[in-house]
Amino acid sequence: MITFEQAGFDYGDGQILSDLSFELAPGSFHFLTGPSGSGKTTLLKLCYLALKPTRGAVHVFGEDSRTADADQVAHLRRRIGVVHQDCRFLDHLSIADNIALPLEVSGRMSAHNLGNRDALLDWVALDHRAKALPPELSGGERQRAALARAVILSPDILLADEPTGNVDSEMGERLMRLLIELNQMGRTILVATHDMALIRQVKEDVRARVLRLVGGHMQVAGAEL
Amino acid sequence: MIGRIASELTSTRVSDRVVPTNNRTARLTLVASAAMAFLAVLALSAALAAAILGAGWKATLETSTTIRLMGEGEELERAIAVTLDILATVPGARNAEHLDMAAQADLLAPWLGAAFPETALPPARMITLKDEMTEANRAALVARLAAEVPGATFENHGAWRDPLIETAVSVRNLGGVAVALSLLAQSVLVMLAASAALAANRGVIETLRLIGATHGYIRKAFVRRITLRVGLGALIGTMAGAALLLILPEGSVALAPTGWGWAILPTIPFVAMIASFAATRATANHMLTELT
Ligand SMILES: Nc1ncnc2c1ncn2[C@@H]1O[C@H](COP(=O)(O)OP(=O)(O)OP(=O)(O)O)[C@@H](O)[C@H]1O
Ligand SMILES: [Mg+2]
């Protein structure tokens, strides 16, 4: 689904990532770990084409990210759900509208799909907060809403950047259960986190592999948990 | 062009909501557009009034000419008759009319006072005419008068008339310049407002892009919102300007346009919308290519 081939990246002032080679196979579940500042968010951005590798190549659904034009990028992104580290909502729209936004921008707004949205609100236990504006939500509620938005287009791949960053361990585990549920439905999942305790908590329930970034390199590429 | 504008302005309900409605730049855009339209109305009607005034002046000045006859008694009466006969044969010398003593006194009354005795007037008479003669005919007329009517002076008032005609023409041109400047200022302002609105919503644009919106979708949402807002502002400003013209007291110079003049006013919101459409599209394209 996503392949890194000796990919490297720097923001212009020194190498952040170098010589990364790995593949996210269909239906796989990966954790991406590493200390703060090691480049986890940067690697995810390479996956959803917000950045292009400065060395090597990243292929997304077979498409070379360096040559994809603006419209191709838009269409590829509709197949990749992303839970951003800072959630990224439109603060003037309600939670329900924010979750439906990917439907709107991809022209798939329909009564049926709005039914799906309501089911998703139930799934992440936010049905009672549907009309609230994003700034009115707690950290955990925002993370769950971001997850609901990330999956509304039934993407093939789900990327989550510290989805449990702002929540206590109980809520963190609940969020992880939701991700595992999605994986069991066949989705490819990549979760960036530095919370090793969380990984240990769920390791019984999912066949996950770990990608560990240290000093810009993949220290452990795809070790089984 | 119109078709493209129409297609980018059609509502999809979606684009109505993704662009925030209630921020400072949005209100500023509306107010600025209204103010510029208001000024454009005033400039436009002033230009129209100046054009009408200038054209009127020019027409009157260009055609009025007098022939002054000096003399006394019988001799003078004969000179008048001969001059009128000659004028009747010259093409382009129209409405030749002899001002008799009474008419001449009336003409001079404002300066000399009504009680001024007729007999105290200089022994001169005036023939007025509308001068639409060709140069050759005018020269021939002057030559004939010199030969046949001693004491006749042909005055075409060139010395004081030409500068006045020039003034009338430049008054008209100035009005046009004022309108052009006002429309230019309106367009520039609309462009600045469009850029400001887009810059203020950079975060929204980035987020839309991240969840899979195409450049076209984002551009359309913003072009539609900003163009409609500018159009609404310009409409309000134009109506306010028109209302002001209507309640203006009727002075010696009518500033309010007449007849077809009013039909020009609705072009102001359209010009504003076209400027806004072009500016927002260009700015949005520029911003979107900067983002990935
Ligand atoms: N836009 C940018 N321009 C320049 N440097 C950047 C930019 N974004 C990130 N960096 C730098 O790149 C490095 C990796 O950042 P990144 O956000 O990928 O780390 P991370 O592993 O996600 O960290 P965290 O766990 O704190 O989220 C950091 O040193 C960061 O300062
Ligand atoms: Mg990060």
Side-chain angles (χ1 to χ4, degrees):
Chain A
M1 306 239 111
I2 296 182
T3 323
F4 279 60
E5 290 155 15
Q6 277 126 40
F9 184 82
D10 72 282
Y11 284 105
D13 50 359
Q15 203 83 340
I16 302 294
L17 299 171
S18 57
D19 203 24
L20 297 180
S21 294
F22 64 90
E23 191 197 349
L24 300 183
S28 62
F29 195 122
H30 285 87
F31 284 108
L32 176 63
T33 69
S36 179
S38 60
K40 301 183 293 295
T41 300
T42 305
L43 190 149
L44 291 184
K45 283 182 175 168
L46 289 169
C47 292
Y48 62 81
L49 303 103
L51 296 174
K52 291 173 183 178
T54 48
R55 312 183 71 175
V58 174
H59 288 269
V60 180
F61 302 115
E63 209 68 61
D64 189 331
S65 68
R66 288 166 306 178
T67 55
D69 67 23
D71 278 355
Q72 277 174 308
V73 167
H75 286 97
L76 291 171
R77 280 181 183 158
R78 293 175 191 173
R79 300 172 62 188
I80 308 171
V82 183
V83 180
H84 297 275
Q85 197 162 8
D86 51 359
C87 293
R88 288 193 158 271
F89 293 117
L90 297 191
D91 286 346
H92 64 287
L93 294 184
S94 70
I95 283 301
D97 284 340
N98 265 287
I99 292 174
L101 211 52
L103 292 173
E104 296 198 334
V105 303
S106 60
R108 280 184 240 173
M109 202 53 136
S110 68
H112 175 256
N113 283 333
L114 280 180
N116 285 349
R117 179 206 50 197
D118 295 339
L120 276 176
L121 276 166
D122 276 345
W123 181 61
V124 295
L126 281 178
D127 39 329
H128 62 296
R129 300 294 277 146
K131 292 210 165 62
L133 295 176
E136 300 164 0
L137 262 56
S138 75
E141 287 171 332
R142 286 167 65 85
Q143 299 281 15
R144 281 181 282 152
L147 179 58
R149 187 185 67 183
V151 300
I152 192 148
L153 292 178
S154 300
D156 302 309
I157 301 176
L158 187 80
L159 307 174
D161 197 354
E162 304 282 1
T164 61
N166 296 323
V167 301
D168 61 26
S169 59
E170 195 184 326
M171 179 58 74
E173 197 179 336
R174 246 180 91 189
L175 271 160
M176 287 308 303
R177 300 263 162 243
L178 293 174
L179 291 173
I180 291 168
E181 233 180 274
L182 287 167
N183 181 240
Q184 284 160 355
M185 287 157 34
R187 305 281 183 263
T188 307
I189 314 267
L190 175 60
V191 182
T193 179
H194 52 238
D195 188 350
M196 296 308 287
L198 185 79
I199 297 176
R200 279 191 292 274
Q201 252 176 345
V202 299
K203 72 188 241 188
E204 306 301 322
D205 307 312
V206 64
R207 276 174 48 89
R209 288 168 177 271
V210 173
L211 305 169
R212 185 170 166 77
L213 276 177
V214 175
H217 290 278
M218 206 68 94
Q219 195 186 46
V220 189
E224 196 113 18
L225 267 179
Chain B
M1 180 74 174
I2 299 294
R4 209 168 70 188
I5 294 178
S7 95
E8 297 237 343
L9 294 187
T10 43
S11 170
T12 56
R13 265 185 55 235
V14 180
S15 42
D16 284 344
R17 291 179 26 246
V18 295
V19 182
T21 43
N22 202 19
N23 54 37
R24 220 164 56 88
T25 39
R27 282 194 297 273
L28 280 178
T29 307
L30 192 77
V31 171
S33 170
M36 289 313 299
F38 184 81
L39 293 177
V41 168
L42 297 191
L44 199 62
S45 47
L48 279 177
I52 291 168
L53 196 69
W57 263 5
K58 194 164 172 281
T60 316
L61 289 169
E62 268 174 355
T63 51
S64 77
T65 296
T66 48
I67 293 169
R68 194 154 45 87
L69 301 167
M70 301 290 281
E72 274 177 85
E74 291 271 307
E75 196 189 333
L76 182 59
E77 294 302 329
R78 207 176 50 79
I80 291 169
V82 172
T83 306
L84 286 175
D85 284 347
I86 295 173
L87 286 173
T89 66
V90 180
R94 296 185 199 290
N95 302 348
E97 208 179 339
H98 160 230
L99 294 184
D100 59 21
M101 279 310 254
Q104 208 166 320
D106 276 351
L107 204 65
L108 295 173
W111 286 277
L112 303 178
F116 202 78
E118 266 177 37
T119 49
L121 285 174
R125 292 294 194 76
M126 309 264 261
I127 290 173
T128 63
L129 60 135
K130 258 181 142 29
D131 178 356
E132 288 168 12
M133 292 175 283
T134 60
E135 283 297 328
N137 282 340
R138 192 178 298 116
L141 173 64
V142 171
R144 263 189 88 182
L145 284 175
E148 297 177 32
V149 192
T153 321
F154 182 88
E155 292 182 299
N156 69 1
H157 311 310
W160 57 270
R161 198 178 61 182
D162 290 350
L164 274 181
I165 291 177
E166 265 170 43
T167 307
V169 170
S170 49
V171 161
R172 203 175 55 187
N173 291 346
L174 267 181
V177 170
V179 171
L181 278 181
S182 144
L183 290 182
L184 182 74
Q186 193 180 8
S187 307
V188 169
L189 193 104
V190 158
M191 285 177 202
L192 290 177
S195 311
L198 282 163
N201 286 300
R202 197 185 173 93
V204 170
I205 293 174
E206 279 171 357
T207 299
L208 289 173
R209 194 67 190 126
L210 281 177
I211 60 172
T214 58
H215 284 187
Y217 174 88
I218 296 170
R219 195 176 52 220
K220 178 171 167 164
F222 278 88
V223 166
R224 177 179 145 72
R225 169 57 53 75
I226 293 171
T227 302
L228 289 183
R229 180 167 300 136
V230 164
L232 179 67
L235 195 67
I236 293 171
T238 304
M239 294 201 312
L244 179 74
L245 291 180
L246 282 177
I247 61 168
L248 221 57
E250 295 221 4
S252 51
V253 176
L255 195 59
T258 48
W260 282 105
W262 288 105
I264 296 179
L265 296 189
T267 60
I268 293 170
F270 281 109
V271 169
M273 282 176 82
I274 288 170
S276 153
F277 177 82
T280 316
R281 259 184 85 94
T283 314
N285 280 337
H286 182 73
M287 193 177 216
L288 284 166
T289 44
E290 262 182 15
L291 302 172
T292 39

